[in-house]
Amino acid sequence: MATIEAGRYSAAIWSAAIREAAQVFSAYLTPLGYSLGSHAVRGVQDGETDLSTEVAARLDLGRANRVGELLRRLDAELTVVYRHELVYSQAFVRGKPHIPRYLQMLARGDRRGVPVIIAQRQPTTPENLFVSETVRLSRLVCNAWMSRDSAERRLAIDLADRLARFESSSPWSALRAHPRPALTDLSAIVGGRLISGAVNETGAVAELHRLFSPREPENVIEFEEATEALTFVACNDSRFEDKVFELIVLAWLFQALQSRANAFQIDLRRLKGAGGEPVATATLDDASVEVFFQAAASVLPPGAWQYRHSGAALRAIPDIVIRVRRQGAQDRIVIVDAKNRTSASESEVIYKLLGYRENLRLTPYSAVGVYPSLEPHPRILRLSDGTSRVTLVHVPLRGGRQVATRLVRALSS
Protein backbone atom coordinates (compact mmCIF):
# COMPACT_ATOMS: atom_id res chain seq x y z
CA MET A 1 0.00 0.00 0.00
CA ALA A 2 1.38 3.43 -0.87
CA THR A 3 2.58 5.51 2.08
CA ILE A 4 0.04 8.30 1.49
CA GLU A 5 -2.81 5.81 1.13
CA ALA A 6 -1.68 3.96 4.26
CA GLY A 7 -1.62 7.22 6.19
CA ARG A 8 -5.13 8.14 5.02
CA TYR A 9 -6.41 4.70 5.93
CA SER A 10 -4.80 4.64 9.37
CA ALA A 11 -6.36 8.01 10.22
CA ALA A 12 -9.75 6.90 8.84
CA ILE A 13 -9.91 3.63 10.76
CA TRP A 14 -9.07 5.28 14.08
CA SER A 15 -11.57 8.05 13.44
CA ALA A 16 -14.19 5.36 12.75
CA ALA A 17 -13.25 3.53 15.96
CA ILE A 18 -13.85 6.63 18.05
CA ARG A 19 -16.78 7.99 16.03
CA GLU A 20 -18.81 4.81 15.48
CA ALA A 21 -17.44 2.16 17.84
CA ALA A 22 -16.46 4.10 20.95
CA GLN A 23 -18.50 1.92 23.32
CA VAL A 24 -17.17 -1.38 21.99
CA PHE A 25 -13.62 -0.08 21.55
CA SER A 26 -13.52 1.36 25.08
CA ALA A 27 -14.87 -1.83 26.62
CA TYR A 28 -12.25 -3.91 24.81
CA LEU A 29 -9.54 -1.48 25.92
CA THR A 30 -10.27 -1.95 29.61
CA PRO A 31 -9.52 -5.06 31.68
CA LEU A 32 -12.02 -7.90 32.04
CA GLY A 33 -14.69 -7.09 34.57
CA TYR A 34 -15.24 -3.52 33.42
CA SER A 35 -18.03 -2.92 30.95
CA LEU A 36 -19.70 0.01 29.25
CA GLY A 37 -23.05 -1.73 29.36
CA SER A 38 -26.09 -0.17 30.99
CA HIS A 39 -25.04 0.45 34.58
CA ALA A 40 -26.00 3.09 37.07
CA VAL A 41 -23.39 5.81 37.48
CA ARG A 42 -21.45 5.38 40.70
CA GLY A 43 -18.11 6.25 42.23
CA VAL A 44 -15.12 4.03 41.59
CA GLN A 45 -14.24 1.94 44.62
CA ASP A 46 -10.69 1.35 45.85
CA GLY A 47 -8.97 -1.32 43.82
CA GLU A 48 -11.20 -0.88 40.75
CA THR A 49 -9.95 0.32 37.38
CA ASP A 50 -12.14 2.74 35.48
CA LEU A 51 -12.04 3.65 31.81
CA SER A 52 -10.69 7.16 32.37
CA THR A 53 -7.68 5.70 34.17
CA GLU A 54 -6.99 3.26 31.33
CA VAL A 55 -7.29 5.94 28.66
CA ALA A 56 -5.17 8.41 30.68
CA ALA A 57 -2.45 5.78 31.08
CA ARG A 58 -2.35 5.25 27.31
CA LEU A 59 -2.31 8.99 26.67
CA ASP A 60 0.67 9.26 29.03
CA LEU A 61 2.48 6.54 27.09
CA GLY A 62 1.48 8.26 23.87
CA ARG A 63 3.13 11.45 25.06
CA ALA A 64 6.20 9.51 26.19
CA ASN A 65 6.36 7.88 22.77
CA ARG A 66 6.30 11.30 21.14
CA VAL A 67 9.19 12.37 23.39
CA GLY A 68 11.14 9.40 22.03
CA GLU A 69 10.43 10.54 18.46
CA LEU A 70 11.66 14.06 19.26
CA LEU A 71 14.97 13.08 20.90
CA ARG A 72 17.21 13.81 17.90
CA ARG A 73 15.64 17.22 17.32
CA LEU A 74 15.80 18.04 21.02
CA ASP A 75 19.51 17.21 21.04
CA ALA A 76 20.02 19.63 18.14
CA GLU A 77 18.14 22.40 20.01
CA LEU A 78 20.36 22.25 23.10
CA THR A 79 20.92 25.77 24.47
CA VAL A 80 23.69 27.07 26.72
CA VAL A 81 24.21 29.96 29.08
CA TYR A 82 27.53 31.58 30.05
CA ARG A 83 28.19 32.26 33.73
CA HIS A 84 31.14 34.32 34.96
CA GLU A 85 33.36 32.81 37.63
CA LEU A 86 36.47 34.01 39.46
CA VAL A 87 39.38 31.55 39.31
CA TYR A 88 43.09 31.73 40.08
CA SER A 89 45.47 31.20 37.18
CA GLN A 90 49.04 29.92 37.61
CA ALA A 91 51.80 30.41 35.03
CA PHE A 92 49.50 31.19 32.11
CA VAL A 93 46.77 33.77 32.52
CA ARG A 94 43.56 32.68 30.82
CA GLY A 95 40.64 35.07 31.15
CA LYS A 96 40.22 38.70 32.17
CA PRO A 97 42.48 39.65 35.14
CA HIS A 98 40.65 41.05 38.16
CA ILE A 99 43.07 43.91 38.88
CA PRO A 100 41.55 45.23 42.18
CA ARG A 101 41.49 41.71 43.63
CA TYR A 102 45.06 41.06 42.41
CA LEU A 103 46.34 44.23 44.14
CA GLN A 104 44.65 43.20 47.40
CA MET A 105 46.28 39.77 47.18
CA LEU A 106 49.72 41.27 46.59
CA ALA A 107 49.23 43.53 49.60
CA ARG A 108 48.40 40.50 51.76
CA GLY A 109 51.17 38.37 50.30
CA ASP A 110 48.65 35.95 48.81
CA ARG A 111 50.46 33.85 46.15
CA ARG A 112 47.58 31.68 44.86
CA GLY A 113 47.98 33.12 41.39
CA VAL A 114 46.41 35.79 39.26
CA PRO A 115 42.64 36.18 39.83
CA VAL A 116 40.87 36.10 36.47
CA ILE A 117 37.24 36.20 35.38
CA ILE A 118 36.22 33.47 32.91
CA ALA A 119 32.93 32.68 31.22
CA GLN A 120 31.86 29.09 31.87
CA ARG A 121 29.57 27.43 29.29
CA GLN A 122 26.63 25.80 31.15
CA PRO A 123 23.69 23.74 29.79
CA THR A 124 21.42 24.54 32.75
CA THR A 125 18.91 26.62 30.82
CA PRO A 126 15.19 26.39 31.64
CA GLU A 127 14.39 24.67 28.34
CA ASN A 128 17.14 22.06 28.80
CA LEU A 129 15.95 21.33 32.33
CA PHE A 130 12.38 21.08 30.97
CA VAL A 131 13.52 18.53 28.35
CA SER A 132 15.42 16.57 31.01
CA GLU A 133 12.37 16.49 33.28
CA THR A 134 10.00 15.30 30.53
CA VAL A 135 12.45 12.52 29.61
CA ARG A 136 12.63 11.47 33.27
CA LEU A 137 8.85 11.40 33.56
CA SER A 138 8.57 9.49 30.29
CA ARG A 139 10.89 6.80 31.65
CA LEU A 140 8.67 6.49 34.74
CA VAL A 141 5.66 5.99 32.45
CA CYS A 142 7.55 3.27 30.56
CA ASN A 143 8.45 1.54 33.83
CA ALA A 144 4.77 1.42 34.80
CA TRP A 145 3.86 -0.29 31.49
CA MET A 146 6.75 -2.75 31.44
CA SER A 147 5.04 -4.98 34.01
CA ARG A 148 2.05 -5.61 31.68
CA ASP A 149 1.93 -8.32 29.03
CA SER A 150 0.70 -6.27 26.10
CA ALA A 151 1.67 -4.46 22.93
CA GLU A 152 2.17 -1.40 25.14
CA ARG A 153 4.75 -3.32 27.16
CA ARG A 154 6.80 -4.14 24.07
CA LEU A 155 6.74 -0.50 23.04
CA ALA A 156 7.61 0.66 26.58
CA ILE A 157 10.71 -1.58 26.71
CA ASP A 158 12.05 -0.21 23.44
CA LEU A 159 11.15 3.37 24.34
CA ALA A 160 12.77 3.13 27.80
CA ASP A 161 16.00 1.96 26.19
CA ARG A 162 16.06 4.92 23.78
CA LEU A 163 15.30 7.38 26.58
CA ALA A 164 18.04 5.89 28.78
CA ARG A 165 20.64 6.24 26.00
CA PHE A 166 19.63 9.87 25.53
CA GLU A 167 19.90 10.61 29.25
CA SER A 168 23.35 9.02 29.48
CA SER A 169 24.80 11.20 26.71
CA SER A 170 26.46 14.56 27.35
CA PRO A 171 25.32 17.06 28.53
CA TRP A 172 22.01 15.43 29.50
CA SER A 173 23.78 13.08 31.91
CA ALA A 174 24.89 16.10 33.96
CA LEU A 175 21.39 17.57 33.90
CA ARG A 176 19.77 14.32 35.05
CA ALA A 177 20.75 14.90 38.68
CA HIS A 178 20.71 18.70 38.54
CA PRO A 179 18.18 20.37 40.89
CA ARG A 180 15.27 21.87 39.00
CA PRO A 181 11.82 23.34 39.68
CA ALA A 182 8.67 21.24 39.31
CA LEU A 183 7.44 20.49 35.78
CA THR A 184 4.60 23.01 36.04
CA ASP A 185 7.04 25.79 37.01
CA LEU A 186 9.47 24.82 34.26
CA SER A 187 6.58 24.79 31.79
CA ALA A 188 5.60 28.32 32.80
CA ILE A 189 9.19 29.57 32.38
CA VAL A 190 9.58 27.92 28.97
CA GLY A 191 6.20 29.32 27.95
CA GLY A 192 7.46 32.82 28.72
CA ARG A 193 10.64 32.23 26.74
CA LEU A 194 8.55 31.03 23.80
CA ILE A 195 6.54 34.24 23.90
CA SER A 196 9.69 36.38 24.10
CA GLY A 197 11.27 34.59 21.16
CA ALA A 198 14.18 33.11 23.18
CA VAL A 199 12.92 29.64 22.20
CA ASN A 200 11.91 28.75 18.64
CA GLU A 201 8.11 28.49 18.60
CA THR A 202 8.17 25.93 15.75
CA GLY A 203 10.91 23.71 17.20
CA ALA A 204 10.91 20.43 19.11
CA VAL A 205 11.03 22.14 22.52
CA ALA A 206 7.89 24.09 21.61
CA GLU A 207 6.12 20.85 20.64
CA LEU A 208 7.24 19.25 23.88
CA HIS A 209 5.86 22.25 25.74
CA ARG A 210 2.46 21.81 24.08
CA LEU A 211 2.42 18.12 25.04
CA PHE A 212 3.30 18.62 28.70
CA SER A 213 1.80 21.99 29.53
CA PRO A 214 -0.89 21.77 32.23
CA ARG A 215 -4.39 22.28 30.82
CA GLU A 216 -7.32 23.95 32.44
CA PRO A 217 -10.09 21.46 33.37
CA GLU A 218 -12.54 23.09 30.98
CA ASN A 219 -10.17 22.79 28.02
CA VAL A 220 -10.57 19.71 25.84
CA ILE A 221 -7.65 18.20 23.92
CA GLU A 222 -8.21 18.56 20.21
CA PHE A 223 -9.54 15.39 18.57
CA GLU A 224 -6.49 14.96 16.33
CA GLU A 225 -4.05 15.35 19.21
CA ALA A 226 -5.93 12.89 21.41
CA THR A 227 -6.22 10.22 18.73
CA GLU A 228 -2.55 10.59 17.78
CA ALA A 229 -1.51 9.96 21.37
CA LEU A 230 -3.95 7.11 21.82
CA THR A 231 -3.23 5.28 18.60
CA PHE A 232 0.52 5.02 18.78
CA VAL A 233 0.28 1.25 19.32
CA ALA A 234 -1.10 0.81 15.81
CA CYS A 235 2.09 2.31 14.43
CA ASN A 236 4.20 -0.21 16.33
CA ASP A 237 2.00 -3.30 16.17
CA SER A 238 -0.22 -3.54 13.09
CA ARG A 239 -2.08 -6.48 14.63
CA PHE A 240 -3.84 -4.07 16.96
CA GLU A 241 -5.21 -2.16 13.99
CA ASP A 242 -6.64 -5.46 12.75
CA LYS A 243 -8.42 -5.79 16.10
CA VAL A 244 -9.75 -2.25 15.82
CA PHE A 245 -11.42 -3.03 12.49
CA GLU A 246 -12.98 -6.20 13.94
CA LEU A 247 -14.44 -4.09 16.76
CA ILE A 248 -15.76 -1.52 14.26
CA VAL A 249 -17.57 -4.26 12.29
CA LEU A 250 -18.99 -5.60 15.56
CA ALA A 251 -20.22 -2.14 16.52
CA TRP A 252 -21.91 -1.72 13.13
CA LEU A 253 -23.77 -5.00 13.69
CA PHE A 254 -24.87 -3.90 17.16
CA GLN A 255 -26.19 -0.60 15.84
CA ALA A 256 -28.05 -2.31 13.01
CA LEU A 257 -29.59 -4.89 15.34
CA GLN A 258 -30.62 -2.29 17.88
CA SER A 259 -32.34 -0.19 15.21
CA ARG A 260 -34.49 -3.12 13.97
CA ALA A 261 -34.87 -5.44 16.96
CA ASN A 262 -37.98 -5.82 19.08
CA ALA A 263 -35.64 -6.48 22.01
CA PHE A 264 -31.87 -6.04 22.25
CA GLN A 265 -29.37 -6.87 25.00
CA ILE A 266 -25.60 -6.43 25.04
CA ASP A 267 -22.95 -7.60 27.52
CA LEU A 268 -19.59 -6.12 26.59
CA ARG A 269 -17.88 -8.03 29.40
CA ARG A 270 -17.95 -10.99 27.01
CA LEU A 271 -15.90 -9.20 24.36
CA LYS A 272 -12.77 -11.10 25.34
CA GLY A 273 -14.37 -14.52 25.01
CA ALA A 274 -14.98 -15.29 28.66
CA GLY A 275 -17.38 -18.25 28.90
CA GLY A 276 -18.06 -18.46 25.16
CA GLU A 277 -21.40 -16.65 25.60
CA PRO A 278 -22.96 -14.26 23.07
CA VAL A 279 -21.93 -10.63 23.31
CA ALA A 280 -25.37 -9.53 22.16
CA THR A 281 -28.84 -11.05 21.74
CA ALA A 282 -31.80 -9.65 19.86
CA THR A 283 -35.32 -10.54 18.81
CA LEU A 284 -36.23 -9.84 15.18
CA ASP A 285 -39.91 -10.60 14.66
CA ASP A 286 -40.07 -14.39 15.19
CA ALA A 287 -36.30 -14.92 15.15
CA SER A 288 -33.83 -14.96 18.02
CA VAL A 289 -30.38 -13.63 17.06
CA GLU A 290 -27.14 -14.17 18.99
CA VAL A 291 -23.81 -12.52 18.16
CA PHE A 292 -20.56 -14.19 19.23
CA PHE A 293 -17.14 -12.52 19.04
CA GLN A 294 -14.20 -14.92 18.65
CA ALA A 295 -15.85 -17.34 21.04
CA ALA A 296 -18.24 -19.51 19.04
CA ALA A 297 -16.83 -22.96 19.87
CA SER A 298 -20.11 -23.91 21.54
CA VAL A 299 -22.09 -22.77 18.49
CA LEU A 300 -20.11 -24.21 15.60
CA PRO A 301 -19.95 -27.95 14.94
CA PRO A 302 -16.60 -29.69 15.53
CA GLY A 303 -14.33 -29.63 12.52
CA ALA A 304 -14.57 -32.60 10.16
CA TRP A 305 -10.85 -32.43 9.48
CA GLN A 306 -8.62 -33.92 12.20
CA TYR A 307 -4.94 -33.94 13.05
CA ARG A 308 -3.57 -37.45 12.37
CA HIS A 309 -1.11 -37.47 15.28
CA SER A 310 -3.65 -36.46 17.93
CA GLY A 311 -7.10 -37.03 16.43
CA ALA A 312 -8.09 -33.51 17.53
CA ALA A 313 -10.47 -31.65 15.25
CA LEU A 314 -9.25 -28.62 13.34
CA ARG A 315 -10.91 -25.72 15.12
CA ALA A 316 -12.56 -22.79 13.39
CA ILE A 317 -12.41 -19.40 15.12
CA PRO A 318 -14.08 -16.80 12.89
CA ASP A 319 -14.10 -13.18 14.00
CA ILE A 320 -17.88 -12.98 14.38
CA VAL A 321 -20.54 -15.70 14.33
CA ILE A 322 -24.26 -14.93 14.18
CA ARG A 323 -26.76 -17.63 15.14
CA VAL A 324 -30.39 -17.20 14.09
CA ARG A 325 -32.98 -19.41 15.76
CA ARG A 326 -36.63 -19.92 14.89
CA GLN A 327 -39.00 -22.27 16.58
CA GLY A 328 -39.40 -25.48 14.62
CA ALA A 329 -36.58 -24.63 12.20
CA GLN A 330 -32.93 -25.51 11.94
CA ASP A 331 -30.49 -22.98 13.41
CA ARG A 332 -28.93 -20.74 10.82
CA ILE A 333 -25.27 -19.78 11.17
CA VAL A 334 -23.66 -16.77 9.49
CA ILE A 335 -19.88 -16.31 9.65
CA VAL A 336 -18.53 -12.77 9.43
CA ASP A 337 -14.80 -12.29 8.86
CA ALA A 338 -13.33 -8.78 9.15
CA LYS A 339 -10.38 -8.28 6.81
CA ASN A 340 -8.23 -5.26 7.62
CA ARG A 341 -6.87 -4.98 4.09
CA THR A 342 -7.60 -2.44 1.40
CA SER A 343 -5.97 -4.30 -1.49
CA ALA A 344 -6.04 -7.96 -0.45
CA SER A 345 -6.65 -10.76 -2.89
CA GLU A 346 -10.39 -11.38 -2.87
CA SER A 347 -9.90 -14.95 -4.09
CA GLU A 348 -7.69 -15.67 -1.05
CA VAL A 349 -10.46 -14.57 1.31
CA ILE A 350 -13.09 -16.47 -0.66
CA TYR A 351 -11.12 -19.68 -0.36
CA LYS A 352 -10.66 -19.12 3.36
CA LEU A 353 -14.43 -18.71 3.83
CA LEU A 354 -15.04 -21.81 1.70
CA GLY A 355 -12.51 -23.61 3.90
CA TYR A 356 -14.78 -22.95 6.88
CA ARG A 357 -17.62 -24.61 4.96
CA GLU A 358 -15.49 -27.64 4.07
CA ASN A 359 -14.37 -28.13 7.66
CA LEU A 360 -17.63 -27.31 9.47
CA ARG A 361 -19.98 -28.95 6.94
CA LEU A 362 -22.66 -26.32 7.56
CA THR A 363 -25.73 -26.60 5.32
CA PRO A 364 -26.91 -24.11 4.21
CA TYR A 365 -23.72 -22.09 4.53
CA SER A 366 -23.52 -18.28 4.71
CA ALA A 367 -20.34 -16.24 5.13
CA VAL A 368 -19.48 -12.57 4.73
CA GLY A 369 -15.99 -11.11 4.30
CA VAL A 370 -15.84 -7.44 5.25
CA TYR A 371 -13.12 -5.10 3.97
CA PRO A 372 -12.63 -1.45 4.97
CA SER A 373 -12.79 1.09 2.17
CA LEU A 374 -11.97 4.76 1.74
CA GLU A 375 -14.43 5.02 -1.15
CA PRO A 376 -17.85 6.65 -0.56
CA HIS A 377 -19.92 3.67 -1.77
CA PRO A 378 -19.79 -0.05 -0.92
CA ARG A 379 -18.63 -2.64 -3.44
CA ILE A 380 -20.22 -6.09 -3.13
CA LEU A 381 -19.22 -9.43 -4.67
CA ARG A 382 -21.58 -12.41 -4.29
CA LEU A 383 -20.92 -16.09 -4.97
CA SER A 384 -23.25 -19.09 -4.69
CA ASP A 385 -23.42 -22.77 -5.61
CA GLY A 386 -27.15 -22.99 -5.01
CA THR A 387 -27.13 -23.91 -1.32
CA SER A 388 -24.19 -21.88 -0.02
CA ARG A 389 -23.53 -18.15 -0.24
CA VAL A 390 -20.29 -16.21 0.18
CA THR A 391 -20.34 -12.42 0.06
CA LEU A 392 -17.43 -9.99 0.00
CA VAL A 393 -18.19 -6.38 0.75
CA HIS A 394 -15.85 -3.38 0.76
CA VAL A 395 -17.48 -1.12 3.33
CA PRO A 396 -16.89 2.65 3.51
CA LEU A 397 -15.57 3.50 6.97
CA ARG A 398 -18.19 6.25 7.08
CA GLY A 399 -21.07 4.09 5.87
CA GLY A 400 -20.69 0.73 7.53
CA ARG A 401 -23.85 1.05 9.58
CA GLN A 402 -26.02 1.06 6.46
CA VAL A 403 -24.30 -2.05 5.06
CA ALA A 404 -24.73 -3.86 8.39
CA THR A 405 -28.42 -2.97 8.32
CA ARG A 406 -28.77 -4.85 5.02
CA LEU A 407 -27.22 -7.93 6.61
CA VAL A 408 -29.56 -7.74 9.60
CA ARG A 409 -32.52 -7.33 7.26
CA ALA A 410 -31.46 -10.53 5.46
CA LEU A 411 -31.28 -12.38 8.81
CA SER A 412 -34.93 -11.66 9.54
CA SER A 413 -36.14 -12.71 6.07
Side-chain angles (χ1 to χ4, degrees):
M1 190 188 304
T3 302
I4 296 178
E5 187 75 4
R8 284 182 59 215
Y9 171 67
S10 184
I13 193 171
W14 280 98
S15 296
I18 294 174
R19 181 185 63 249
E20 301 191 35
Q23 185 187 38
V24 176
F25 174 67
S26 301
Y28 190 86
L29 193 69
T30 57
L32 285 172
Y34 182 82
S35 167
L36 289 188
S38 299
H39 294 286
V41 176
R42 59 180 178 81
V44 178
Q45 304 300 316
D46 291 340
E48 290 186 339
T49 303
D50 67 334
L51 176 61
S52 61
T53 301
E54 291 293 317
V55 172
R58 284 165 174 81
L59 289 173
D60 286 340
L61 188 51
R63 279 185 283 268
N65 187 60
R66 185 58 184 149
V67 172
E69 294 171 351
L70 291 171
L71 291 180
R72 183 171 297 180
R73 291 173 55 198
L74 291 168
D75 211 14
E77 292 185 20
L78 177 74
T79 56
V80 295
V81 63
Y82 288 91
R83 291 185 171 85
H84 293 93
E85 295 184 4
L86 182 69
V87 299
Y88 296 94
S89 182
Q90 301 282 351
F92 296 100
V93 176
R94 293 186 177 88
K96 180 181 180 180
H98 194 301
I99 302 300
R101 174 67 63 87
Y102 185 51
L103 293 176
Q104 292 175 2
M105 291 175 61
L106 291 176
R108 294 196 305 265
D110 191 334
R111 304 302 183 195
R112 283 180 292 172
V114 179
V116 295
I117 299 173
I118 61 173
Q120 291 279 21
R121 190 171 183 265
Q122 300 286 343
T124 52
T125 61
E127 51 270 25
N128 290 348
L129 291 172
F130 179 71
V131 170
S132 179
E133 181 66 8
T134 58
V135 171
R136 183 186 74 84
L137 294 174
S138 296
R139 288 191 66 189
L140 291 177
V141 171
C142 290
N143 292 340
W145 277 101
M146 285 162 63
S147 61
R148 299 193 184 190
D149 184 16
S150 62
E152 289 90 347
R153 176 179 180 271
R154 293 191 292 274
L155 175 63
I157 291 173
D158 175 70
L159 178 58
D161 181 63
R162 284 186 284 134
L163 294 172
R165 289 200 303 270
F166 178 83
E167 272 194 320
S168 63
S169 64
S170 178
W172 306 105
S173 55
L175 290 174
R176 183 167 49 189
H178 196 283
R180 82 279 303 272
L183 181 66
T184 51
D185 296 330
L186 282 171
S187 177
I189 297 171
V190 173
R193 290 173 65 79
L194 281 165
I195 294 172
S196 69
V199 176
N200 183 1
E201 64 179 7
T202 62
V205 173
E207 182 173 345
L208 203 65
H209 182 262
R210 289 192 295 272
L211 280 172
F212 284 84
S213 292
R215 300 175 184 272
E216 297 298 324
E218 63 271 14
N219 289 347
V220 179
I221 301 177
E222 290 83 356
F223 175 78
E224 291 80 5
E225 181 178 342
T227 53
E228 180 181 357
L230 187 61
T231 65
F232 64 87
V233 175
C235 302
N236 292 273
D237 190 340
S238 58
R239 292 172 298 176
F240 195 70
E241 199 168 87
D242 296 343
K243 181 65 64 180
V244 170
F245 183 59
E246 293 168 8
L247 296 173
I248 292 172
V249 174
L250 191 66
W252 285 336
L253 284 172
F254 289 164
Q255 293 160 7
L257 280 170
Q258 192 167 21
S259 66
R260 293 185 56 84
N262 308 104
F264 179 75
Q265 289 184 323
I266 184 171
D267 189 344
L268 293 178
R269 292 172 298 181
R270 297 172 178 172
L271 266 180
K272 298 182 181 180
E277 297 294 326
V279 182
T281 58
T283 302
L284 296 173
D285 301 326
D286 62 338
S288 172
V289 178
E290 298 169 306
V291 180
F292 298 82
F293 183 66
Q294 297 181 338
S298 60
V299 178
L300 298 174
W305 286 82
Q306 300 177 345
Y307 293 97
R308 291 186 63 181
H309 68 282
S310 65
L314 175 63
R315 295 180 60 199
I317 310 177
D319 297 330
I320 301 169
V321 172
I322 303 173
R323 178 166 65 181
V324 182
R325 290 179 150 178
R326 284 186 173 86
Q327 190 171 5
Q330 178 185 351
D331 290 354
R332 179 183 174 192
I333 300 292
V334 178
I335 290 175
V336 180
D337 220 20
K339 289 299 172 191
N340 180 34
R341 309 175 193 175
T342 56
S343 57
S345 167
E346 293 180 336
S347 60
E348 176 188 337
V349 176
I350 290 169
Y351 278 112
K352 178 185 177 181
L353 296 176
L354 292 176
Y356 282 143
R357 183 187 71 162
E358 166 66 20
N359 188 38
L360 299 174
R361 307 290 168 88
L362 290 168
T363 305
Y365 177 74
S366 296
V368 181
V370 184
Y371 292 82
S373 172
L374 296 177
E375 300 301 323
H377 303 291
R379 182 167 65 84
I380 302 174
L381 176 67
R382 297 183 178 90
L383 298 94
S384 174
D385 67 354
T387 59
S388 298
R389 290 184 299 176
V390 172
T391 303
L392 297 188
V393 54
H394 294 257
V395 182
L397 286 171
R398 285 190 170 272
R401 203 177 312 180
Q402 290 80 4
V403 177
T405 301
R406 296 186 198 176
L407 174 60
V408 169
R409 190 180 300 121
L411 295 178
S412 59
S413 62

